[in-house]
C-alpha cells in the first residue's frame, strides 16, 4: 500500500502572529480598533491525495 502525499493549505503564521500581537497591544492600551476581523491570503497545494469529482 502506497501513501499519497497530502493536499495542504499554507497559512501565513508569522503574519497571523504579528497581527494578533498588534491587536492585543492596542486593546491593552485601551485603543479602539478600526477592524474586528482580518483576512490573510492562504495557498492550497493540491497533491496526490485529492481525487477529481466523481462523474
Amino acid at each position: 500500500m502506497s501513501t499519497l502525499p497530502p493536499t495542504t493549505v499554507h497559512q501565513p503564521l508569522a503574519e497571523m502572529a504579528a497581527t494578533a500581537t498588534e491587536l492585543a497591544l492596542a486593546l491593552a492600551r485601551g485603543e479602539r480598533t478600526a477592524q474586528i476581523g482580518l483576512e490573510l491570503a492562504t495557498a492550497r497545494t493540491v497533491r496526490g491525495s485529492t481525487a477529481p469529482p466523481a462523474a
Side-chain angles (χ1 to χ4, degrees), residues 38-54:
L38 177 68
E39 290 186 34
L40 300 174
T42 59
R44 179 181 57 155
T45 303
V46 178
R47 297 192 175 105
S49 64
T50 304

Side-chain angles (χ1 to χ4, degrees), residues 1 4 9 12 17 22-23 27-31 41 44 46 48-49 53:
M1 176 181 214
L4 298 174
V9 176
E22 290 172 11
L23 178 59
L27 292 172
R29 290 189 295 264
E31 298 174 7
R44 179 181 57 155
V46 178
S49 64

